[in-house]
Amino acid sequence: GAVVSQHPSWVICKSGTSVKIECRSLDFQATTMFWYRQFPKQSLMLMATSNEGSKATYEQGVEKDKFLINHASLTLSTLTVTSAHPEDSSFYICSARGASRNYNEQFFGPGTRLTVL
Amino acid sequence: KQEVTQIPAALSVPEGENLVLNCSFTDSAIYNLQWFRQDPGKGLTSLLLIQSSQREQTSGRLNASLDKSSGRSTLYIAASQPGDSATYLCAASSWDNRLAFGKGNQVVVIP
């Protein structure tokens, strides 16, 4: 149980275009979802926290107008990278909370590799 | 701001040896601490979660200890196997559920 999926697993796009990444909890209802970014050889950095039906809370230094997060249902959150540029190329990972008796436990998706040309 | 450090950054061991991976964190006011495994280009697999009130957790060949007062956790992997080769990430959870990750211990187990 507690499976989280992401789609697409990888995407290549041209500079200036927008890219949408989906995060789904497959077998549980996720009250909270998190979006992380990981650059090569670096740790995961939390970008934002989203609760179903409310606005996302962004970490300091993350542009909310550039990284649009929607958490419209208890099983789906989306991250849209608007007007992507090469510096946005990274590994984006989502996680979801809500399945476990360990209230604070997050379950992670497989990640999405974004390459902006 | 919570800072998580993992030492060593990389290590290679011959098959059969025990692995000891260290994690330290600056703010002892954590809710829990998790160890994850990450294979190249992949997402995270949760290995062990230690609540702040616990001292250790065990699962098979894995054992993780937690010393909140000194801001340390250690992951032990007994009798390492080539399939244990991966990057191991430590993450400290604050009471508002935000995870702070270390950069990982990259492990290679040599057959």
Side-chain angles (χ1 to χ4, degrees):
Chain A
V3 178
V4 177
S5 70
Q6 280 184 243
H7 178 80
S9 55
W10 59 269
V11 57
I12 301 173
C13 69
K14 293 182 179 180
S15 185
T17 60
S18 294
V19 175
K20 180 185 284 188
I21 302 170
E22 293 185 349
C23 176
R24 292 182 185 273
S25 56
L26 299 185
D27 53 1
F28 68 99
Q29 293 186 324
T31 52
T32 306
M33 287 185 169
F34 305 84
W35 287 95
Y36 296 83
R37 179 167 54 182
Q38 185 180 34
F39 292 107
K41 303 289 186 183
Q42 299 297 312
S43 60
L44 275 74
M45 298 299 295
L46 179 64
M47 299 176 67
T49 302
S50 73
N51 293 298
E52 185 265 337
S54 61
K55 289 184 179 180
T57 301
Y58 290 81
E59 294 298 300
Q60 191 173 7
V62 178
E63 301 175 55
K64 62 179 181 180
D65 294 330
K66 181 169 183 61
F67 299 99
L68 301 179
I69 292 172
N70 183 280
H71 190 170
S73 77
L74 284 171
T75 60
L76 174 64
S77 176
T78 60
L79 167 68
T80 301
V81 184
T82 62
S83 187
H85 291 284
E87 58 266 29
D88 298 322
S89 298
S90 187
F91 193 52
Y92 292 85
I93 306 177
C94 72
S95 72
R97 185 190 76 185
S100 171
R101 59 184 173 85
N102 292 323
Y103 172 73
N104 219 22
E105 187 169 8
Q106 296 178 29
F107 299 92
F108 285 78
T112 296
R113 172 77 57 193
L114 170 63
T115 302
V116 184
L117 303 177
Chain B
K1 180 185 174 185
Q2 180 74 274
E3 300 283 344
V4 179
T5 304
Q6 292 186 245
I7 295 172
L11 70 160
S12 296
V13 297
E15 181 177 0
E17 273 200 10
N18 298 330
L19 280 163
V20 180
L21 307 178
N22 296 300
C23 170
S24 61
F25 46 95
T26 54
D27 185 353
S28 61
I30 62 171
Y31 188 78
N32 62 41
L33 187 131
Q34 282 186 263
W35 282 93
F36 296 89
R37 170 184 172 137
Q38 185 177 32
D39 292 291
K42 303 294 184 181
L44 276 62
T45 300
S46 180
L47 298 175
L48 291 167
L49 182 151
I50 313 173
Q51 300 290 359
S52 62
S53 58
Q54 297 175 323
R55 301 281 293 191
E56 67 175 347
Q57 279 288 329
T58 298
S59 176
R61 293 184 294 113
L62 306 179
N63 174 275
S65 65
L66 174 64
D67 185 341
K68 267 183 49 176
S69 60
S70 66
R72 294 179 183 175
S73 177
T74 302
L75 178 66
Y76 301 88
I77 303 178
S80 61
Q81 303 170 358
D84 295 329
S85 298
T87 297
Y88 292 83
L89 297 170
C90 164
S93 176
S94 60
W95 285 84
D96 62 0
N97 205 39
R98 290 158 70 236
L99 285 177
F101 281 86
K103 290 185 179 181
N105 305 106
Q106 186 175 0
V107 171
V108 175
V109 179
I110 304 166

